[in-house]
């Protein structure tokens, strides 16, 4: 039995220090996806990288498709959100912490926000990572091979310094699907 070939058809990268590019991209996303509020730099960085990956793959959004899944890894950068939230509580009591920040004290809030912004209705998997998204990408490829999803947006966010983050995402799909839609293939897994 021949194993299904998985290919990369889109790539996106974002670094939270690139505020002008991030804000320009977020404004474009708001125009395409409707009113959306972005609260934390981790979220902004991840959403921007996914936008770049989907655009690079030629996949329009909001997608409204249940055959696209999100497979995301995140390191302990979510601890920065918790620190910011609780620093506000300690400094000014309950009035010092934004209620908008609280949901982001949970790592899955970032993956949920991405699926909402891009209307990705397939699998949504969040995995803890230390330094590499390799396991996240491997798992996404397995899910495509096993028929759980047709296309996967796979990658994640890492802390690179004090409140500085980088996000990288790839669009993975089976080679036949990529060929059928005329997508550029950047590499084969």
């Amino acid at each position: 039995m021949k194993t299904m070939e998985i290919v990369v058809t889109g790539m996106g990268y974002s670094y939270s220090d690139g505020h002008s590019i991030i804000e320009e991209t977020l404004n474009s996303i708001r125009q395409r996806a409707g009113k959306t509020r972005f609260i934390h730099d981790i979220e902004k960085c991840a959403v921007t990288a996914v936008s770049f990956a989907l655009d690079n793959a030629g996949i329009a959004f909001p997608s409204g498709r249940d055959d696209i899944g999100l497979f995301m890894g995140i390191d302990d950068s979510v601890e920065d959100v918790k620190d910011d939230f609780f620093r506000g509580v300690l400094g000014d009591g309950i009035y010092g912490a934004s209620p908008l920040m609280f949901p982001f004290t949970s790592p899955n809030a970032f993956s949920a926000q991405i699926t909402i912004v891009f209307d990705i209705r397939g699998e949504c998997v969040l995995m803890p990572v230390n330094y590499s998204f390799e396991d996240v990408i491997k798992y996404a490829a397995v899910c495509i091979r096993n028929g759980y999803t047709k296309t996967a947006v796979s990658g994640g966010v890492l802390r690179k310094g004090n409140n500085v983050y980088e996000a990288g995402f790839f669009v993975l799909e089976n080679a036949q699907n990529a060929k059928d839609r005329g997508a550029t293939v950047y590499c084969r897994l």
Side-chain angles (χ1 to χ4, degrees):
M1 182 173 152
K2 185 177 179 185
T3 302
M4 179 186 300
E5 184 177 27
I6 307 299
V7 296
V8 174
T9 58
M11 300 176 284
Y13 173 81
S14 182
Y15 194 72
S16 66
D17 270 0
H19 289 293
S20 61
I21 292 172
I22 287 178
E23 289 305 320
E24 182 181 312
T25 303
L26 295 176
N27 286 333
S28 172
I29 290 168
R30 286 182 188 105
Q31 291 174 2
R32 292 163 74 176
K35 273 191 171 180
T36 305
R37 180 178 289 174
F38 301 105
I39 307 299
H40 199 275
D41 284 348
I42 297 171
E43 171 194 23
K44 293 175 183 178
C45 192
V47 166
T48 301
V50 170
S51 172
F52 292 156
L54 290 171
D55 282 344
N56 187 241
I59 296 175
F61 64 86
S63 77
R65 293 174 40 190
D66 61 4
D67 62 347
I68 297 177
L70 176 68
F71 298 80
M72 181 175 171
I74 191 165
D75 67 357
D76 61 354
S77 57
V78 72
E79 297 301 320
D80 291 346
V81 179
K82 292 178 186 177
D83 290 345
D84 290 347
F85 181 79
F86 290 114
R87 197 175 298 114
V89 170
L90 292 173
D92 296 319
I94 60 170
Y95 299 108
S98 168
L100 297 173
M101 285 275 271
F102 182 75
F104 292 101
T105 61
S106 173
N108 66 347
F110 297 104
S111 55
Q113 178 73 336
I114 291 169
T115 62
I116 292 166
V117 168
F118 298 104
D119 197 15
I120 295 173
R121 299 179 182 184
E123 299 287 327
C124 180
V125 176
L126 180 74
M127 298 172 67
V129 297
N130 283 328
Y131 307 104
S132 168
F133 304 126
E134 182 179 352
D135 290 338
V136 178
I137 294 167
K138 284 180 181 177
Y139 184 69
V142 166
C143 287
I144 294 170
R145 282 191 183 102
N146 290 338
Y148 298 117
T149 191
K150 191 174 183 180
T151 305
V153 179
S154 182
V157 180
L158 296 173
R159 179 192 292 143
K160 299 309 279 184
N162 188 20
N163 290 313
V164 177
Y165 313 97
E166 74 176 350
F169 286 87
F170 299 98
V171 174
L172 312 176
E173 56 190 307
N174 73 58
Q176 187 60 51
N177 185 59
K179 182 179 177 184
D180 291 348
R181 63 183 201 86
T184 300
V185 172
Y186 294 101
C187 71
R188 300 175 188 293
L189 301 182

